Amino acid sequence: FMRSILLLIIIFSINIIALDVNVTELKNKSPERVLYIGNSYLYYNDSLHNHVRRMLEEEYSKEIDTTNYKMVTISGSRLLHHNIEYPLNHKNLGAEKPFELVILQGGSGEANTVDERNDFSLEAKAMIKKIHEAGAEAALYMIHAYVKPHENTDPEMIKNIKKMYIDAANQNSVLVIPVGIAFENAYDKNPDIVLHKEYDGSHPSLLGTYLAACVVFSSITHKSPLQIQYDYFGKIAEDDKKFLQQVAKNTVEDFYKIKL
């Protein structure tokens, strides 16, 4: 009996260690030239990159030049659908200078099977190598899981997502941004909050995008989102804003084992 208990403790410890992240911060915590690459999870609700930019502008106390703050998305895309070399050449996007940070967001189905997760790992490695060769830092944007009414809703999905993104980040020594974990934490604390579009259970609602933006902001800057006044020009209710900011802060602190 005691041996069984000990074995369970060892297995549990191994799983925890396996999900620890090696990289907990960016070298440059105040990037202004940022490129986001992904799909509709990023461009819904006036685009995640716009919300993060406005939060960063508040933190920096100055406007960010939007000619060097870009997003490239393909509807329904996975990493392999992007030709990373084209947007990495900043001139192809009308940017004046090379990007400092490139954030990669994979497709919602890439964590479904072992083969798909392996494909993600290989593609992430190739893309990150090219990003580093271009002189930029790379980060992986951990997506959220489906909820009802999506037909593929599965409580195991977030576990596969977490492992896939953390493993890829650790293998390539880059930051992973724990957006998917923040969604889970928010639902645990308030099951009535709506972070997904109610008609599909896949795409983020405005509140989901705001939560994701807070997580990205704090992951980049290592600053607490509780200081942020930005509420999408009054469209985010004060109670929702404070709740989502607190969830983002707690998630980032727990994930990176830091204090904001």
Side-chain angles (χ1 to χ4, degrees):
F1 177 75
M2 291 303 296
R3 287 182 179 178
S4 298
I5 296 261
L6 181 59
L7 181 59
L8 286 173
I9 291 173
I10 291 172
I11 291 173
F12 183 68
S13 299
I14 289 172
N15 287 336
I16 291 176
I17 292 170
L19 289 178
D20 280 348
V21 290
N22 294 340
V23 177
T24 60
E25 60 183 355
L26 294 173
K27 295 177 182 176
N28 178 6
K29 295 184 186 62
S30 56
E32 294 185 47
R33 305 193 304 273
V34 184
L35 172 64
Y36 296 73
I37 294 178
N39 59 30
S40 54
Y41 279 15
L42 297 186
Y43 69 67
Y44 262 49
N45 310 307
D46 192 22
S47 182
L48 176 113
H49 84 299
N50 283 328
H51 296 288
V52 178
R53 175 177 53 78
R54 293 167 188 143
M55 293 177 181
L56 291 176
E57 287 179 333
E58 189 177 315
E59 168 65 23
Y60 299 163
S61 298
K62 67 175 181 178
E63 290 187 6
I64 292 175
D65 183 358
T66 56
T67 62
N68 252 116
Y69 199 91
K70 300 283 189 175
M71 184 178 73
V72 174
T73 60
I74 301 173
S75 177
S77 68
R78 299 184 172 201
L79 285 187
L80 60 84
H81 296 145
H82 291 276
N83 175 10
I84 187 69
E85 294 178 353
Y86 186 86
L88 269 183
N89 182 343
H90 60 285
K91 296 178 181 178
N92 289 332
L93 301 185
E96 296 180 357
K97 297 179 181 180
F99 295 105
E100 298 170 296
L101 172 64
V102 180
I103 298 174
L104 301 174
Q105 176 247 317
S108 60
E110 289 195 79
N112 287 350
T113 67
V114 172
D115 286 343
E116 288 172 305
R117 293 194 287 273
N118 287 339
D119 288 342
F120 175 91
S121 178
L122 291 172
E123 192 60 33
K125 180 178 181 180
M127 295 177 81
I128 290 168
K129 182 175 184 291
K130 291 175 181 177
I131 291 168
H132 287 164
E133 289 173 349
E137 288 189 80
L140 295 175
Y141 176 103
M142 183 195 295
I143 62 169
H144 56 264
Y146 301 142
V147 298
K148 294 292 185 183
H150 197 284
E151 60 182 5
N152 293 324
T153 300
D154 181 355
E156 295 296 311
M157 183 177 182
I158 190 60
K159 296 178 183 178
N160 291 331
I161 288 172
K162 285 166 59 177
K163 187 175 188 313
M164 183 178 77
Y165 275 87
I166 292 172
D167 284 352
N170 286 346
Q171 290 163 11
N172 295 283
S173 298
V174 298
L175 190 76
V176 58
I177 300 172
V179 171
I181 297 174
F183 271 59
E184 298 297 311
N185 291 342
Y187 279 128
D188 284 342
K189 291 183 177 297
N190 181 6
D192 294 327
I193 198 163
V194 180
L195 302 178
H196 291 71
K197 295 293 187 184
E198 293 181 286
Y199 56 79
D200 69 3
S202 174
H203 292 92
S205 67
L206 177 58
L207 294 183
T209 294
Y210 187 85
L211 172 60
C214 289
V215 175
V216 174
F217 167 85
S218 287
S219 297
I220 288 174
T221 63
H222 275 206
K223 298 290 183 66
S224 170
L226 296 180
Q227 64 186 317
I228 295 171
Q229 299 301 311
Y230 172 72
D231 59 2
Y232 193 32
F233 313 109
K235 292 182 174 62
I236 306 292
E238 184 68 15
D239 287 348
D240 288 331
K241 183 184 80 167
K242 292 302 182 185
F243 172 74
L244 297 172
Q245 288 177 348
Q246 188 66 59
V247 169
K249 177 179 184 292
N250 293 346
T251 300
V252 169
E253 288 184 331
D254 181 65
F255 188 71
Y256 298 129
K257 295 179 176 58
I258 59 171
K259 185 67 175 176
L260 298 178

